[in-house]
């Protein structure tokens, strides 16, 4: 009888662990970050963070500090750009600090792969974007993007990795910084992007998508 009881106890315990390891329950603090990444985040960002759709940013190889900061901002509703709050407010609502840290580490550790350049991007446009990223726009007192994001756009700490990111996503975010206050923690970018023309934004975004993985 004791043996049967022990077997049943172990079976229940094992079933519980297996369930957590495959759970999509974002309200459960026991669900491991890796499970959340693979069972939930992968639907939009890809299993390894190399999203195919330009609607969703690539997270593979992103700095963990930046990812953790963004998830924390989504959870606290401090970031309200439409592409963010429509998806991320609800998804991040009950994430614990530990889960956020683990998610950031998971995607940061994934290998970024090359992102094919959009057919609409020309060599001239990419070259113009390289100039803006490397040297800024002196006529408008716009500093070089490389100053904060690194010479190869690999990012560091809370400055995001931009190399290989979807151009469409970058264009939308630069427009958010330029025209709204929906990302208050990125106030420095509002100043930087203020005088960029639509052509400047398209060029630098195309250049960044063209950059190979680090």
């Amino acid at each position: 009888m004791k043996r049967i009881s022990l077997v049943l106890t172990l079976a229940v315990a094992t079933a519980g662990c297996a369930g957590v390891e495959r759970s999509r329950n974002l309200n459960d603090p026991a669900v491991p970050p890796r499970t959340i990444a693979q069972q939930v985040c992968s639907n939009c960002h890809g299993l390894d963070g190399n999203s195919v759709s330009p609607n969703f940013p690539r997270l593979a190889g992103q700095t963990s500090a930046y990812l953790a900061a963004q998830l924390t901002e989504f959870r606290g509703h401090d970031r309200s750009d439409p592409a963010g709050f429509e998806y991320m407010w609800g998804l991040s609502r009950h994430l614990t600090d530990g889960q956020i840290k683990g998610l950031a580490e998971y995607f940061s550790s994934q290998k970024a792969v090359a992102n094919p350049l959009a057919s609409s991007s020309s060599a001239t446009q990419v070259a113009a974007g390289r100039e803006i990223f490397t040297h800024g726009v002196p006529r408008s007192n716009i500093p070089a993007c490389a100053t904060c994001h690194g010479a190869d756009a690999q990012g560091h700490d809370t400055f995001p990795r931009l190399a290989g990111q979807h151009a469409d996503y970058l264009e939308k975010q630069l427009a958010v910084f330029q025209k709204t206050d929906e990302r208050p923690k990125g106030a420095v970018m509002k100043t930087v992007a203020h005088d960029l023309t639509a052509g400047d934004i398209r060029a630098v975004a195309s250049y960044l998508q063209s950059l190979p993985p680090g």
Side-chain angles (χ1 to χ4, degrees):
M1 187 67 178
K2 289 183 179 180
R3 180 179 176 81
I4 294 175
S5 178
L6 178 60
V7 170
L8 288 173
T9 300
L10 289 173
V12 171
T14 302
C17 292
V20 169
E21 291 298 328
R22 292 193 296 269
S23 176
R24 295 185 178 184
N25 185 3
L26 295 173
N27 298 328
D28 187 352
V31 178
R34 185 182 185 88
T35 298
I36 295 174
Q38 296 178 343
Q39 296 291 333
V40 181
C41 307
S42 63
N43 291 325
C44 295
H45 298 284
L47 190 63
D48 60 356
N50 288 292
S51 69
V52 176
S53 171
N55 291 322
F56 306 108
R58 289 193 162 198
L59 306 182
Q62 186 57 271
T63 70
S64 59
Y66 176 76
L67 290 173
Q70 297 311 301
L71 283 169
T72 300
E73 287 181 37
F74 283 130
R75 184 180 64 181
H77 296 181
D78 296 320
R79 178 174 166 177
S80 57
D81 51 300
F85 81 78
E86 289 174 1
Y87 298 100
M88 294 303 302
W89 278 18
L91 292 173
S92 62
R93 182 179 179 184
H94 295 293
L95 292 178
T96 67
D97 289 344
Q99 287 173 323
I100 285 178
K101 181 175 183 293
L103 284 168
E105 291 174 347
Y106 172 83
F107 284 112
S108 178
S109 68
Q110 301 303 303
K111 183 179 180 180
V113 300
N115 194 359
L117 192 61
S119 58
S120 60
S121 297
S122 67
T124 300
Q125 188 177 64
V126 170
R130 181 189 299 112
E131 182 67 19
I132 294 171
F133 183 85
T134 306
H135 301 293
V137 186
R139 70 176 184 276
S140 302
N141 295 315
I142 297 172
C145 312
T147 303
C148 294
H149 296 281
D152 298 315
Q154 296 302 314
H156 61 90
D157 298 326
T158 55
F159 293 102
R161 178 183 190 275
L162 303 179
Q165 188 58 268
H166 294 302
D168 185 67
Y169 176 77
L170 292 172
E171 286 187 50
K172 289 176 181 177
Q173 291 308 305
L174 282 169
V176 166
F177 286 127
Q178 186 181 63
K179 301 174 182 178
T180 78
D181 295 311
E182 294 167 347
R183 295 189 62 176
K185 296 293 179 66
V188 65
M189 280 302 301
K190 187 173 183 65
T191 301
V192 171
H194 185 266
D195 292 318
L196 287 173
T197 67
D200 291 336
I201 289 176
R202 193 168 300 111
V204 76
S206 294
Y207 167 65
L208 288 167
Q209 179 169 328
S210 76
L211 288 178

